[in-house]
Amino acid sequence: SQQGEEDPQALSIQEGENATMNCSYKTSINNLQWYRQNSGRGLVHLILIRSNEREKHSGRLRVTLDTSKKSSSLLITASRAADTASYFCATDGDYGGSQGNLIFGKGTKLSVKP
Amino acid sequence: DTAVSQTPKYLVTQMGNDKSIKCEQNLGHDTMYWYKQDSKKFLKIMFSYNNKELIINETVPNRFSPKSPDKAHLNLHINSLELGDSAVYFCASTEFGRAGELFFGEGSRLTVL
């Protein structure tokens, strides 16, 4: 069954604004990852945060993880039109007996208007 | 220098036909996957192979048969196609046990009429 659940489902902002997406999950995890998918393309890995980490940065991306609340957030600062894409969280861990695979959420569709 | 490549990118076929999708990775990874993305963008794992051995089969109908001739290739053959098989199929690869990122192909959009 589905593990991650992103919120909101869709987000529309102006260029230069910050975008925040949230992800909630159900079971214990070893790590959580965020991926981006441009329309008609494959998924591209953005960042991985381990269960013992609380915050991680990569360029304009900031990811937080709260294992007590089973939630994560992805912040994109100073957004650009090129950030327009769907963003997915994915969790790993001993899930349903299928250890090693990633469980993806339904994604947040981000639209950044120039 | 494409890392994970899938062919074909688009596939339109009739119900009942048999079709194959091919995947190759040149990253030297030992684990490859097939994921299915439905019309609502929900991405679900189908199969995982490690060094040509099947390690994950997520309750996929046996009309779907993956084949891994070597660790750089993972093909997906689908028999007796049904309307519900219409989706985008993604191949991905990684190094097993590292719990790291997956590298995805560009997807193969299958439309069953």
Side-chain angles (χ1 to χ4, degrees):
Chain A
S1 63
Q2 184 183 338
Q3 168 77 309
E5 191 85 32
E6 288 90 343
D7 168 56
Q9 289 188 347
L11 181 61
S12 184
I13 59 174
Q14 294 293 132
E15 225 173 11
E17 293 180 341
N18 295 340
T20 300
M21 287 158 268
N22 302 299
C23 168
S24 59
Y25 57 92
K26 296 171 185 169
T27 65
S28 61
I29 60 170
N30 296 316
N31 63 68
L32 185 143
Q33 303 180 44
W34 286 90
Y35 286 79
R36 183 187 76 231
Q37 184 180 29
N38 289 78
S39 181
R41 306 296 297 271
L43 280 79
V44 174
H45 179 264
L46 295 175
I47 196 164
L48 179 152
I49 186 165
R50 301 194 187 282
S51 59
N52 62 355
E53 297 175 312
R54 291 296 167 259
E55 189 171 310
K56 203 161 182 181
H57 297 255
S58 177
R60 293 184 297 114
L61 305 181
R62 174 178 164 249
V63 168
T64 62
L65 179 64
D66 186 335
T67 52
S68 66
K69 294 181 180 177
K70 291 187 170 59
S71 69
S72 173
S73 68
L74 171 67
L75 168 67
I76 304 174
T77 59
S79 63
R80 305 166 182 167
D83 294 328
T84 294
S86 291
Y87 291 82
F88 295 86
C89 69
T91 52
D92 190 16
D94 193 4
Y95 179 75
S98 298
Q99 187 171 13
N101 77 73
L102 290 187
I103 312 296
F104 286 85
K106 288 184 180 177
T108 291
K109 190 168 185 177
L110 174 65
S111 176
V112 181
K113 298 177 181 171
Chain B
D1 60 346
T2 305
V4 182
S5 58
Q6 302 178 222
T7 55
K9 189 170 174 64
Y10 299 98
L11 195 51
V12 181
T13 188
Q14 299 287 332
M15 263 197 319
N17 284 350
D18 304 338
K19 289 293 177 187
S20 293
I21 307 171
K22 294 185 176 182
C23 178
E24 175 182 5
Q25 55 94 5
N26 61 5
L27 298 166
H29 290 157
D30 59 2
T31 303
M32 296 183 72
Y33 303 82
W34 279 110
Y35 278 84
K36 178 181 179 181
Q37 187 173 46
D38 63 22
S39 58
K40 295 182 179 178
K41 299 289 189 181
F42 182 46
L43 200 67
K44 185 172 169 58
I45 191 168
M46 299 174 68
F47 299 103
S48 173
Y49 269 74
N50 173 249
N51 275 322
K52 305 191 298 176
E53 300 292 327
L54 178 68
I55 57 172
I56 294 174
N57 180 342
E58 285 290 313
T59 60
V60 176
N62 57 16
R63 297 184 296 105
F64 291 79
S65 51
K67 279 191 172 53
S68 182
D70 55 62
K71 70 175 190 177
H73 295 83
L74 180 61
N75 304 323
L76 183 65
H77 188 76
I78 315 170
N79 290 327
S80 304
L81 278 156
E82 300 177 357
L83 293 176
D85 297 331
S86 294
V88 182
Y89 293 85
F90 286 98
C91 177
S93 72
T94 193
E95 197 64 22
F96 185 76
R98 283 181 56 190
E101 62 182 289
L102 293 190
F103 291 78
F104 282 83
E106 292 292 283
S108 297
R109 180 176 292 276
L110 171 65
T111 302
V112 182
L113 303 175

